Each structure stands twice: as C-alpha cells, then as structure tokens.
Amino acid sequence: MGSSVRELAGATPVTRDRYVDLLRVASLAAVVLGHWLMAAVTPDGVGNLLAVVPALQPLTWLLQVMPVFFFVGGFSHALSYRSLLRKRPEATAGASPVSVYSAFLRARLQRLLRPTMVFVLVWGVAALLVQLLGGGGGLTGVTLRMVTQPLWFIGIYLAMVAFTPPLLKLHERYGWGAFAALAGAAAAVDVLRFAAGVPYVEFLNFAFVWLAVHQLGFLRADGHLRLRRPALLAAGGLVTACALVAFGPYPLSMVGMPGEKVSNMAPPTLALLAHGLWLVGAVELLRAPAARLLERPRLWRTVVAANGVAMTAFLWHLTAMFGVYGAMLTLDVPLPEPASAAWWAQVPLRIALAAALTAGLVAAFRTFERPAPALPAQGHGPLAALGATLCLLGVLGLSMVGFNGLLDGRTALLIAIPVSAPAAVAMTLGGWLLVERAGRGAGVR
C-alpha cells in the first residue's frame, strides 16, 4: 500500500487541483469526528451532545461540512464527464450520448457503490443473525437502527451524479443563472412549506438545496469563483444564514436536533443552503495557501492515501463507535453522564479507540474501494438511470429504517411511502446490478 501511494503521489500531474482532494478528505473526516464527539451514549440509549448542551450548537456552523463535499463533487463530476466526452471520438467510435451517460454513471458510482454494497450485505447478514437468535435489544438494537444513518449522504450523492449531464448543460448555457434558479426554487419551497403549509413540498429541497451546492462546483471548474467572489459568497452566505435563523422559522443548529419541529438538515432548508454558501466561500479563500502546503511530498502522500480509503472509513465509522461503547459496557467500564467533567475527560480515549477500530475495518474492507479497469463507453442509458434511481431510493430508505426490525416488518416513511429494510436492500442491490450491466454495455452496441 505504501509503495503504491508513493507512486500515485509521484505521478500526480501538475495540472491536478490537489486542494480539491484535500477538501474531500477533510470534509468526510470532519463529519466522522463530529459523529464521534456528539454521540451521548448511556446504558439507557443514545442521545445528542448538542441537545444536552444547547450552547454548543453554534459549532455545527463549522462541523456541518457536507456542503463542502457536495461542492467538491460538482467540480469532480464536471471534469469527469467532460473528459469522457472528449475521449469519445478515438475510444468509443459510434457511441451515443446516451451510452456515454451510462458509462459515466458506472465510472463515477463504482467506487461509491461497491463499498456501500459490502457494508449493506455485511450488516444485513449480521442483523438477520442477531434477530434470529432473539437479540436486538439495548445498545445492539440502537446500533442496528442507527448504523445505516450515514447512507443518506450516499443517496444524495447518487442523485448528483445522475443529474450531472443535464445540469452541466444548463451551467454551460446560463452560468450563475442556473445556480440562481436552483437557489430560488429552494426558497420557493420554504415559502410554500412555512407560509402556505403545503404538505410534503419540503422534500423537494433534498434536490434543490444540494444540487445548488453541487452547481457551485461547476462554477469552480470553469474558474467562476476567483478574485473577490469567494469573499462575497462567504460574507453573503453568513449574513443570510444569520438573518434566517434570527428572524425566520429556522433553528440554530445546522444538524437535526431531537424533538425540534424543524430541522435544517432533513429535509434541507434555505438556511442550510446559505450556510453552504458561506462554507464554500470560506474554503475557497484558503485555496492558495493550502495549495502551497500540498506541494510538500509527505503531506500530499497522506492526502492520496486518505482519499483511497475515505469512503470505506465513512461507511464503517459508526460501526466502530458503537463497537467501542459495546466493549465498554461489556467490560463494565463506567459511562459518565454526558457533558460532565468525567465524560469530557473520557472523550480522547473513546475517539482514539474508535479511530483504531475504524482503521481495522478499513484494512478489512478497503479492497472494495479500489477502482476497476475502465470499460468502453457503450451502454444502455435508460437502464443506467433506472439503476441509479433504485439505488438512490434504496439507500435513502435504509438510512431511515435501519436494520432493527428486519424480520418484523418495521417501516419508515421515504417521502410519503412506507419502506422496510428488506425492500430497501432489494432496491439497492437491484439498482447496483442495473448500473453495472448498463455501464458494461451488456447486449448493447
């Protein structure tokens, strides 16, 4: 692993934007660290530190960095799709835009879906065994329910990949206007939700808010976030977010809080979009000094190595966290009252143990994150789109229902449709197989 990382780092083209790779790793690491820190686990259940100590909720304006990851995704997807289009004449003679789309989907989703499928299958089998043996109570039941929650991010990212080609065309035609249209749609949804009380309309902002942030990545790819624009974006986003929280129906926390009627995260709100704008502007202001630091070979090798396992670590980090707490309870290690002095004193040890266990899980499963050889851009576009849609619905459903209650028909509402864990797993696996088949061009020439 070390020699391959050294070779990859040494072969980095001078044109590569190393800062984007750093942002990808850093944003996922911040989410993982936030989850480990905010979990308030007691023998009676799992709470949220931010609910125990509301004064800490402003920290979410720094730790809620998923907008940065989706912004980076937009940048990378634009470059990837354009690269595939440029290769068509010499590498894919006769390939249609539809077949290029299916090849793009497979190429972008492979490193995302392969480790995700392994995670789903391993946990699905474990949950089935636990419940067949009559388990599933206490911390085990909580783990089975909560360990899938990060999959919502996978679902949103799937949608971003699927919508990249049409939204990239809109960007190329309208530039900032395409972003403004998505942001305006997000604002309109919130007006209909809060002022008119229209039911279910809020779920549209899963698309409008996150795709607007994704669109900023397209703007960066074409050099539209230079000069004073990052500063304007950061200042405008921060002022808007503060005003919306101060005078609107939006809570202070940029992550969901237990018991609150409104969450800025699920579904996303205009306040979260404004928060995303200030974060994107802020990280862009740091681009030049960070790029200079990344010229150092050792630091760059670290970023390359981390990028190679980042998705695996993200998928398994809650497994590691609950594993640490489970071991503590088994060994009768006392779990102090959340936010007490003893609890804070125990934080470094718990995080170190969770990091070590995550590293072990990464070592076991990282092979599934390695990219497979590229295939010719021939395939079946509608099949690929159907597969991506099924994967999107499956992983979102699984993130909501979890694996607890796998055998007793437990369901959760996905938008307005009840979905069970077996149905979510079936959709996810079926969608993945369709994407794979479409990208390979099975029976299509």
Side-chain angles (χ1 to χ4, degrees), residues 4-364:
S4 62
V5 167
R6 187 178 296 272
E7 291 168 4
L8 285 171
T12 303
V14 294
T15 55
R16 186 174 184 89
D17 194 327
R18 300 183 179 196
Y19 186 47
V20 165
D21 293 291
L22 174 63
L23 289 179
R24 183 183 297 112
V25 169
S27 57
L28 285 181
V31 172
V32 168
L33 183 61
H35 286 168
W36 287 344
L37 181 61
M38 299 306 167
V41 179
T42 68
D44 300 321
V46 180
N48 190 317
L49 179 65
L50 298 176
V52 178
V53 189
L56 294 177
Q57 291 183 16
L59 288 177
T60 62
W61 290 50
L62 295 174
L63 292 176
Q64 172 49 286
V65 293
M66 272 306 179
V68 175
F69 189 91
F70 293 145
F71 163 67
V72 168
F75 175 88
S76 300
H77 296 158
L79 296 187
S80 176
Y81 187 67
R82 287 169 172 171
S83 174
L84 191 58
L85 287 175
R86 285 195 299 269
K87 292 177 181 177
R88 276 180 58 204
E90 65 272 17
T92 60
S96 69
V98 170
S99 64
V100 172
Y101 173 73
S102 65
F104 167 75
L105 271 186
R106 181 179 185 272
R108 296 306 296 176
L109 296 186
Q110 187 180 60
R111 286 188 67 180
L112 185 70
L113 287 180
R114 286 180 69 208
T116 302
M117 294 306 104
V118 172
F119 173 84
V120 169
L121 289 174
V122 170
W123 263 110
V125 170
L128 186 61
L129 290 174
V130 166
Q131 290 168 63
L132 285 174
L133 294 173
L139 185 61
T140 301
V142 172
T143 301
L144 293 176
R145 176 169 51 84
M146 296 186 65
V147 78
T148 62
Q149 286 186 357
L151 291 179
W152 74 266
F153 150 79
I154 306 290
I156 299 299
Y157 202 75
L158 285 168
M160 291 177 172
V161 174
F163 281 109
T164 287
L167 288 179
L168 190 56
K169 286 185 179 180
L170 289 176
H171 158 75
E172 290 167 348
R173 182 170 182 178
Y174 298 108
W176 281 96
F179 164 78
L182 287 167
V189 165
D190 273 14
V191 170
L192 292 173
R193 175 187 180 183
F194 295 116
V198 177
Y200 299 120
V201 70
E202 64 267 25
F203 292 104
L204 291 173
N205 267 351
F206 276 113
F208 293 141
V209 168
W210 291 127
L211 288 177
V213 175
H214 190 249
Q215 206 79 5
L216 290 173
F218 297 165
L219 291 162
R220 187 192 194 278
D222 286 347
H224 296 311
L225 291 182
R226 294 179 179 172
L227 303 176
R228 297 179 181 177
R229 284 176 180 166
L232 292 174
L233 205 62
L238 186 58
V239 169
T240 302
C242 289
L244 288 171
V245 168
F247 303 109
Y250 306 99
L252 173 63
S253 174
M254 290 298 161
V255 300
M257 288 289 100
E260 285 197 336
K261 293 182 179 179
V262 176
S263 165
N264 281 320
M265 266 293 293
T269 64
L270 186 61
L272 184 65
L273 176 56
H275 166 71
L277 296 185
W278 100 259
L279 275 183
V280 167
V283 298
E284 281 297 288
L285 289 173
L286 298 174
R287 186 203 305 192
R292 289 192 292 269
L293 287 174
L294 289 169
E295 293 297 325
R296 299 179 180 180
R298 182 175 296 179
L299 178 57
W300 176 235
R301 285 196 298 270
T302 301
V303 172
V304 170
N307 261 297
V309 298
M311 190 52 57
T312 303
F314 177 78
L315 285 167
W316 291 97
H317 77 278
L318 284 186
T319 302
M321 183 193 78
F322 283 117
V324 169
Y325 278 110
M328 293 174 70
L329 289 173
T330 301
L331 297 172
D332 290 326
V333 176
L335 293 179
E337 187 69 22
S340 65
W343 187 91
W344 285 109
Q346 204 181 65
V347 164
L349 175 61
R350 290 198 306 269
I351 289 180
L353 290 173
L357 186 50
T358 299
L361 290 166
V362 166

